[in-house]
PDB file of all heavy atoms in Angstrom:
ATOM      1  N   VAL A  40       7.687  -4.172  -2.970  1.00  0.00           N
ATOM      2  CA  VAL A  40       6.472  -3.458  -2.571  1.00  0.00           C
ATOM      3  C   VAL A  40       6.369  -2.134  -3.333  1.00  0.00           C
ATOM      4  O   VAL A  40       5.294  -1.761  -3.824  1.00  0.00           O
ATOM      5  CB  VAL A  40       6.478  -3.222  -1.047  1.00  0.00           C
ATOM      6  CG1 VAL A  40       5.348  -2.265  -0.647  1.00  0.00           C
ATOM      7  CG2 VAL A  40       6.340  -4.547  -0.311  1.00  0.00           C
ATOM      8  N   ARG A  41       7.491  -1.410  -3.427  1.00  0.00           N
ATOM      9  CA  ARG A  41       7.486  -0.138  -4.151  1.00  0.00           C
ATOM     10  C   ARG A  41       7.123  -0.329  -5.614  1.00  0.00           C
ATOM     11  O   ARG A  41       6.308   0.406  -6.179  1.00  0.00           O
ATOM     12  CB  ARG A  41       8.860   0.524  -4.046  1.00  0.00           C
ATOM     13  CG  ARG A  41       8.981   1.859  -4.805  1.00  0.00           C
ATOM     14  CD  ARG A  41      10.423   2.153  -5.155  1.00  0.00           C
ATOM     15  NE  ARG A  41      10.952   1.154  -6.072  1.00  0.00           N
ATOM     16  CZ  ARG A  41      12.250   0.827  -6.150  1.00  0.00           C
ATOM     17  NH1 ARG A  41      13.130   1.391  -5.335  1.00  0.00           N
ATOM     18  NH2 ARG A  41      12.646  -0.081  -7.019  1.00  0.00           N
ATOM     19  N   GLU A  42       7.732  -1.321  -6.278  1.00  0.00           N
ATOM     20  CA  GLU A  42       7.471  -1.560  -7.695  1.00  0.00           C
ATOM     21  C   GLU A  42       6.019  -1.956  -7.929  1.00  0.00           C
ATOM     22  O   GLU A  42       5.411  -1.570  -8.923  1.00  0.00           O
ATOM     23  CB  GLU A  42       8.414  -2.655  -8.226  1.00  0.00           C
ATOM     24  CG  GLU A  42       9.860  -2.235  -8.337  1.00  0.00           C
ATOM     25  CD  GLU A  42      10.075  -1.145  -9.361  1.00  0.00           C
ATOM     26  OE1 GLU A  42       9.407  -1.169 -10.421  1.00  0.00           O
ATOM     27  OE2 GLU A  42      10.916  -0.256  -9.115  1.00  0.00           O
ATOM     28  N   CYS A  43       5.456  -2.713  -7.004  1.00  0.00           N
ATOM     29  CA  CYS A  43       4.048  -3.105  -7.127  1.00  0.00           C
ATOM     30  C   CYS A  43       3.150  -1.869  -7.033  1.00  0.00           C
ATOM     31  O   CYS A  43       2.145  -1.754  -7.754  1.00  0.00           O
ATOM     32  CB  CYS A  43       3.705  -4.117  -6.049  1.00  0.00           C
ATOM     33  SG  CYS A  43       2.022  -4.745  -6.150  1.00  0.00           S
ATOM     34  N   PHE A  44       3.517  -0.937  -6.155  1.00  0.00           N
ATOM     35  CA  PHE A  44       2.751   0.300  -6.020  1.00  0.00           C
ATOM     36  C   PHE A  44       2.841   1.127  -7.311  1.00  0.00           C
ATOM     37  O   PHE A  44       1.836   1.628  -7.821  1.00  0.00           O
ATOM     38  CB  PHE A  44       3.272   1.099  -4.825  1.00  0.00           C
ATOM     39  CG  PHE A  44       2.458   2.322  -4.500  1.00  0.00           C
ATOM     40  CD1 PHE A  44       1.077   2.343  -4.657  1.00  0.00           C
ATOM     41  CD2 PHE A  44       3.086   3.461  -4.016  1.00  0.00           C
ATOM     42  CE1 PHE A  44       0.327   3.475  -4.337  1.00  0.00           C
ATOM     43  CE2 PHE A  44       2.350   4.601  -3.703  1.00  0.00           C
ATOM     44  CZ  PHE A  44       0.971   4.602  -3.872  1.00  0.00           C
ATOM     45  N   GLU A  45       4.049   1.264  -7.847  1.00  0.00           N
ATOM     46  CA  GLU A  45       4.253   2.039  -9.068  1.00  0.00           C
ATOM     47  C   GLU A  45       3.504   1.441 -10.257  1.00  0.00           C
ATOM     48  O   GLU A  45       2.798   2.132 -10.983  1.00  0.00           O
ATOM     49  CB  GLU A  45       5.744   2.112  -9.409  1.00  0.00           C
ATOM     50  CG  GLU A  45       6.592   2.975  -8.505  1.00  0.00           C
ATOM     51  CD  GLU A  45       8.021   3.044  -9.014  1.00  0.00           C
ATOM     52  OE1 GLU A  45       8.241   2.772 -10.218  1.00  0.00           O
ATOM     53  OE2 GLU A  45       8.923   3.375  -8.225  1.00  0.00           O
ATOM     54  N   GLU A  46       3.687   0.147 -10.456  1.00  0.00           N
ATOM     55  CA  GLU A  46       3.229  -0.492 -11.696  1.00  0.00           C
ATOM     56  C   GLU A  46       1.775  -0.954 -11.638  1.00  0.00           C
ATOM     57  O   GLU A  46       1.088  -0.967 -12.668  1.00  0.00           O
ATOM     58  CB  GLU A  46       4.136  -1.681 -12.032  1.00  0.00           C
ATOM     59  CG  GLU A  46       5.571  -1.275 -12.342  1.00  0.00           C
ATOM     60  CD  GLU A  46       6.418  -2.456 -12.779  1.00  0.00           C
ATOM     61  OE1 GLU A  46       5.910  -3.599 -12.731  1.00  0.00           O
ATOM     62  OE2 GLU A  46       7.582  -2.247 -13.164  1.00  0.00           O
ATOM     63  N   ALA A  47       1.317  -1.351 -10.450  1.00  0.00           N
ATOM     64  CA  ALA A  47      -0.041  -1.903 -10.351  1.00  0.00           C
ATOM     65  C   ALA A  47      -0.969  -1.063  -9.496  1.00  0.00           C
ATOM     66  O   ALA A  47      -2.172  -1.338  -9.433  1.00  0.00           O
ATOM     67  CB  ALA A  47       0.019  -3.326  -9.794  1.00  0.00           C
ATOM     68  N   GLY A  48      -0.428  -0.048  -8.801  1.00  0.00           N
ATOM     69  CA  GLY A  48      -1.278   0.795  -7.962  1.00  0.00           C
ATOM     70  C   GLY A  48      -1.718   0.146  -6.677  1.00  0.00           C
ATOM     71  O   GLY A  48      -2.650   0.616  -6.023  1.00  0.00           O
ATOM     72  N   VAL A  49      -1.072  -0.945  -6.277  1.00  0.00           N
ATOM     73  CA  VAL A  49      -1.417  -1.670  -5.054  1.00  0.00           C
ATOM     74  C   VAL A  49      -0.260  -1.525  -4.065  1.00  0.00           C
ATOM     75  O   VAL A  49       0.886  -1.832  -4.406  1.00  0.00           O
ATOM     76  CB  VAL A  49      -1.691  -3.158  -5.346  1.00  0.00           C
ATOM     77  CG1 VAL A  49      -1.902  -3.929  -4.050  1.00  0.00           C
ATOM     78  CG2 VAL A  49      -2.895  -3.316  -6.265  1.00  0.00           C
ATOM     79  N   LEU A  50      -0.564  -1.050  -2.859  1.00  0.00           N
ATOM     80  CA  LEU A  50       0.464  -0.858  -1.835  1.00  0.00           C
ATOM     81  C   LEU A  50       0.180  -1.782  -0.648  1.00  0.00           C
ATOM     82  O   LEU A  50      -0.881  -1.695  -0.011  1.00  0.00           O
ATOM     83  CB  LEU A  50       0.485   0.595  -1.365  1.00  0.00           C
ATOM     84  CG  LEU A  50       1.522   0.932  -0.282  1.00  0.00           C
ATOM     85  CD1 LEU A  50       2.938   0.657  -0.779  1.00  0.00           C
ATOM     86  CD2 LEU A  50       1.378   2.382   0.174  1.00  0.00           C
ATOM     87  N   VAL A  51       1.114  -2.653  -0.365  1.00  0.00           N
ATOM     88  CA  VAL A  51       1.012  -3.559   0.783  1.00  0.00           C
ATOM     89  C   VAL A  51       1.544  -2.802   1.997  1.00  0.00           C
ATOM     90  O   VAL A  51       2.757  -2.663   2.170  1.00  0.00           O
ATOM     91  CB  VAL A  51       1.805  -4.854   0.542  1.00  0.00           C
ATOM     92  CG1 VAL A  51       1.669  -5.779   1.750  1.00  0.00           C
ATOM     93  CG2 VAL A  51       1.340  -5.544  -0.723  1.00  0.00           C
ATOM     94  N   ALA A  52       0.641  -2.268   2.803  1.00  0.00           N
ATOM     95  CA  ALA A  52       1.036  -1.442   3.949  1.00  0.00           C
ATOM     96  C   ALA A  52      -0.030  -1.508   5.031  1.00  0.00           C
ATOM     97  O   ALA A  52      -1.187  -1.859   4.768  1.00  0.00           O
ATOM     98  CB  ALA A  52       1.255   0.007   3.506  1.00  0.00           C
ATOM     99  N   VAL A  53       0.366  -1.163   6.254  1.00  0.00           N
ATOM    100  CA  VAL A  53      -0.554  -1.117   7.382  1.00  0.00           C
ATOM    101  C   VAL A  53      -0.452   0.248   8.050  1.00  0.00           C
ATOM    102  O   VAL A  53       0.584   0.928   7.975  1.00  0.00           O
ATOM    103  CB  VAL A  53      -0.263  -2.229   8.414  1.00  0.00           C
ATOM    104  CG1 VAL A  53      -0.489  -3.605   7.803  1.00  0.00           C
ATOM    105  CG2 VAL A  53       1.164  -2.111   8.961  1.00  0.00           C
ATOM    106  N   ASP A  54      -1.543   0.672   8.688  1.00  0.00           N
ATOM    107  CA  ASP A  54      -1.529   1.960   9.383  1.00  0.00           C
ATOM    108  C   ASP A  54      -0.971   1.794  10.795  1.00  0.00           C
ATOM    109  O   ASP A  54      -0.488   0.713  11.162  1.00  0.00           O
ATOM    110  CB  ASP A  54      -2.926   2.583   9.388  1.00  0.00           C
ATOM    111  CG  ASP A  54      -3.960   1.730  10.129  1.00  0.00           C
ATOM    112  OD1 ASP A  54      -3.554   0.872  10.948  1.00  0.00           O
ATOM    113  OD2 ASP A  54      -5.162   1.920   9.890  1.00  0.00           O
ATOM    114  N   ALA A  55      -1.069   2.868  11.575  1.00  0.00           N
ATOM    115  CA  ALA A  55      -0.480   2.847  12.912  1.00  0.00           C
ATOM    116  C   ALA A  55      -1.115   1.806  13.823  1.00  0.00           C
ATOM    117  O   ALA A  55      -0.509   1.358  14.806  1.00  0.00           O
ATOM    118  CB  ALA A  55      -0.610   4.237  13.541  1.00  0.00           C
ATOM    119  N   ASP A  56      -2.347   1.392  13.508  1.00  0.00           N
ATOM    120  CA  ASP A  56      -3.025   0.367  14.304  1.00  0.00           C
ATOM    121  C   ASP A  56      -2.787  -1.041  13.770  1.00  0.00           C
ATOM    122  O   ASP A  56      -3.379  -2.007  14.267  1.00  0.00           O
ATOM    123  CB  ASP A  56      -4.530   0.646  14.331  1.00  0.00           C
ATOM    124  CG  ASP A  56      -4.856   1.959  15.022  1.00  0.00           C
ATOM    125  OD1 ASP A  56      -4.185   2.275  16.024  1.00  0.00           O
ATOM    126  OD2 ASP A  56      -5.751   2.671  14.537  1.00  0.00           O
ATOM    127  N   GLY A  57      -1.942  -1.146  12.740  1.00  0.00           N
ATOM    128  CA  GLY A  57      -1.655  -2.459  12.158  1.00  0.00           C
ATOM    129  C   GLY A  57      -2.725  -2.955  11.219  1.00  0.00           C
ATOM    130  O   GLY A  57      -2.729  -4.137  10.855  1.00  0.00           O
ATOM    131  N   VAL A  58      -3.617  -2.064  10.786  1.00  0.00           N
ATOM    132  CA  VAL A  58      -4.699  -2.440   9.882  1.00  0.00           C
ATOM    133  C   VAL A  58      -4.252  -2.239   8.438  1.00  0.00           C
ATOM    134  O   VAL A  58      -3.694  -1.192   8.086  1.00  0.00           O
ATOM    135  CB  VAL A  58      -5.964  -1.598  10.156  1.00  0.00           C
ATOM    136  CG1 VAL A  58      -7.070  -1.957   9.172  1.00  0.00           C
ATOM    137  CG2 VAL A  58      -6.425  -1.802  11.596  1.00  0.00           C
ATOM    138  N   THR A  59      -4.498  -3.232   7.610  1.00  0.00           N
ATOM    139  CA  THR A  59      -4.131  -3.138   6.197  1.00  0.00           C
ATOM    140  C   THR A  59      -4.918  -2.014   5.526  1.00  0.00           C
ATOM    141  O   THR A  59      -6.134  -1.912   5.697  1.00  0.00           O
ATOM    142  CB  THR A  59      -4.426  -4.466   5.474  1.00  0.00           C
ATOM    143  OG1 THR A  59      -3.729  -5.522   6.126  1.00  0.00           O
ATOM    144  CG2 THR A  59      -3.996  -4.394   4.021  1.00  0.00           C
ATOM    145  N   ILE A  60      -4.247  -1.179   4.771  1.00  0.00           N
ATOM    146  CA  ILE A  60      -4.930  -0.061   4.131  1.00  0.00           C
ATOM    147  C   ILE A  60      -5.812  -0.571   2.993  1.00  0.00           C
ATOM    148  O   ILE A  60      -5.483  -1.546   2.307  1.00  0.00           O
ATOM    149  CB  ILE A  60      -3.939   0.994   3.601  1.00  0.00           C
ATOM    150  CG1 ILE A  60      -3.054   0.409   2.490  1.00  0.00           C
ATOM    151  CG2 ILE A  60      -3.080   1.533   4.730  1.00  0.00           C
ATOM    152  CD1 ILE A  60      -2.216   1.463   1.778  1.00  0.00           C
ATOM    153  N   GLY A  61      -6.939   0.097   2.812  1.00  0.00           N
ATOM    154  CA  GLY A  61      -7.896  -0.295   1.781  1.00  0.00           C
ATOM    155  C   GLY A  61      -7.862   0.636   0.591  1.00  0.00           C
ATOM    156  O   GLY A  61      -6.962   1.483   0.441  1.00  0.00           O
ATOM    157  N   GLY A  62      -8.879   0.508  -0.254  1.00  0.00           N
ATOM    158  CA  GLY A  62      -8.898   1.248  -1.503  1.00  0.00           C
ATOM    159  C   GLY A  62      -9.191   2.722  -1.367  1.00  0.00           C
ATOM    160  O   GLY A  62      -9.031   3.487  -2.327  1.00  0.00           O
ATOM    161  N   ASP A  63      -9.620   3.189  -0.175  1.00  0.00           N
ATOM    162  CA  ASP A  63      -9.948   4.602  -0.001  1.00  0.00           C
ATOM    163  C   ASP A  63      -8.857   5.364   0.744  1.00  0.00           C
ATOM    164  O   ASP A  63      -9.045   6.526   1.108  1.00  0.00           O
ATOM    165  CB  ASP A  63     -11.270   4.739   0.753  1.00  0.00           C
ATOM    166  CG  ASP A  63     -11.233   4.050   2.123  1.00  0.00           C
ATOM    167  OD1 ASP A  63     -10.251   3.314   2.398  1.00  0.00           O
ATOM    168  OD2 ASP A  63     -12.193   4.221   2.900  1.00  0.00           O
ATOM    169  N   HIS A  64      -7.717   4.745   0.978  1.00  0.00           N
ATOM    170  CA  HIS A  64      -6.655   5.423   1.727  1.00  0.00           C
ATOM    171  C   HIS A  64      -5.999   6.485   0.847  1.00  0.00           C
ATOM    172  O   HIS A  64      -5.697   6.241  -0.320  1.00  0.00           O
ATOM    173  CB  HIS A  64      -5.611   4.418   2.216  1.00  0.00           C
ATOM    174  CG  HIS A  64      -4.741   4.952   3.309  1.00  0.00           C
ATOM    175  ND1 HIS A  64      -3.743   5.863   3.087  1.00  0.00           N
ATOM    176  CD2 HIS A  64      -4.757   4.720   4.658  1.00  0.00           C
ATOM    177  CE1 HIS A  64      -3.148   6.155   4.237  1.00  0.00           C
ATOM    178  NE2 HIS A  64      -3.752   5.468   5.207  1.00  0.00           N
TER     179      HIS A  64
END
């Protein structure tokens, strides 16, 4: 997940409500 964030700018993560973060986070 970290490497994907570094290299592609995409982070697989959810907020405190369990909602997947979008492009404006």
Side-chain angles (χ1 to χ4, degrees):
V40 170
R41 179 204 64 207
E42 290 295 323
C43 183
F44 186 35
E45 289 184 21
E46 295 185 354
V49 174
L50 180 61
V51 180
V53 296
D54 62 20
D56 296 322
V58 178
T59 303
I60 64 171
D63 58 350
H64 197 286

